[in-house]
């Protein structure tokens, strides 16, 4: 049973600074400055170094993002997953598969895979589709935190719905 705490769907939407916000102009200037410095730094690197650094940053982002979600996949296990070297422990292997999916989707984004802006509903749907298609069934459902139960059909139903 899914519990609805009455949150608005807006809690799931990306943060957008409203056009009327007094902070908008300053934030836009900071974003532009950061983008310019980032582009300058990237162009100063040899292509092979930029690619290796991008791979490292993707793995680092994956580690911290998953850690926030309570999925502690050690960086060495992320690296092993990227090489196709998975743990024999099912729980650890599932986290490695999650990490590999995370890194693959980030790489797709970085290589201009999105046809629409990142906040467009179609982009968000495509991000989720790409991510979830690589997850093992055990990670396609969440447990009810109160009784630790989930619908046993959930993994099959979710995997089918996403594909």
């Amino acid at each position: 049973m899914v519990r609805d705490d009455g949150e608005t769907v807006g809690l799931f939407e990306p943060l957008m600074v409203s056009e009327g916000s007094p902070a908008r102009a300053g934030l836009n200037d900071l974003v532009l400055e950061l983008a310019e410095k980032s582009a300058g730094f990237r162009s100063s690197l040899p292509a092979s170094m930029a690619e290796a650094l991008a791979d490292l940053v993707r793995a680092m982002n994956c580690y911290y993002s998953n850690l926030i979600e309570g999925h502690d996949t050690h960086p060495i296990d992320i690296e092993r997953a990227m090489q196709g070297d998975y743990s024999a422990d099912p729980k650890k292997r599932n986290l490695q598969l999650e990490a590999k999916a995370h890194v693959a989707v980030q790489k797709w984004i970085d290589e201009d895979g999105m046809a629409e802006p990142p906040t467009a509903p179609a982009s968000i749907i495509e991000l989720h589709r790409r991510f979830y298609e690589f997850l093992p069934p055990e990670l396609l459902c969440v447990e009810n935190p109160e009784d630790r139960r989930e619908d046993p059909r959930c993994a099959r139903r979710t995997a089918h719905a996403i594909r």
Side-chain angles (χ1 to χ4, degrees), residues 74-91:
H74 194 277
I76 193 69
D77 291 321
I78 295 171
E79 180 60 31
R80 287 180 178 149
M82 298 311 297
Q83 303 302 320
D85 178 13
Y86 302 106
S87 173
D89 175 282
K91 183 176 180 183

Side-chain angles (χ1 to χ4, degrees), residues 101-158:
H102 187 282
V103 171
V105 170
Q106 184 61 56
K107 185 172 183 166
W108 172 76
I109 293 167
D110 294 345
E111 293 174 349
D112 296 323
M114 283 193 212
E116 297 188 41
T119 56
S123 294
I124 294 169
I125 290 168
E126 182 63 12
L127 285 169
H128 284 89
R129 188 196 65 74
R130 286 176 175 272
F131 179 69
Y132 286 108
E133 76 180 345
F134 295 111
L135 291 184
E138 296 83 1
L139 295 181
L140 293 176
C141 293
V142 294
E143 294 177 340
N144 181 328
E146 292 176 7
D147 60 14
R148 310 291 293 177
R149 289 185 308 139
E150 69 177 39
D151 181 340
R153 299 166 297 160
C154 183
R156 281 196 311 270
R157 185 173 61 247
T158 306

Side-chain angles (χ1 to χ4, degrees), residues 10-24:
L11 292 175
F12 294 99
E13 294 175 354
L15 173 63
M16 303 295 285
V17 180
S18 68
E19 299 227 5
S21 171
R24 186 176 173 106

Side-chain angles (χ1 to χ4, degrees), residues 45-121:
L45 297 173
S48 61
M49 185 178 283
E51 187 176 322
L53 186 56
D55 289 342
L56 178 65
V57 170
R58 282 186 208 103
M60 178 190 70
N61 286 345
C62 171
Y63 170 72
Y64 285 109
S65 177
N66 290 346
L67 193 60
I68 288 168
E69 297 295 328
H71 295 181
D72 189 2
T73 311
H74 194 277
I76 193 69
D77 291 321
I78 295 171
E79 180 60 31
R80 287 180 178 149
M82 298 311 297
Q83 303 302 320
D85 178 13
Y86 302 106
S87 173
D89 175 282
K91 183 176 180 183
K92 195 173 189 178
R93 182 183 60 248
N94 285 344
L95 292 176
Q96 285 180 295
L97 291 167
E98 175 187 43
K100 189 170 184 175
H102 187 282
V103 171
V105 170
Q106 184 61 56
K107 185 172 183 166
W108 172 76
I109 293 167
D110 294 345
E111 293 174 349
D112 296 323
M114 283 193 212
E116 297 188 41
T119 56

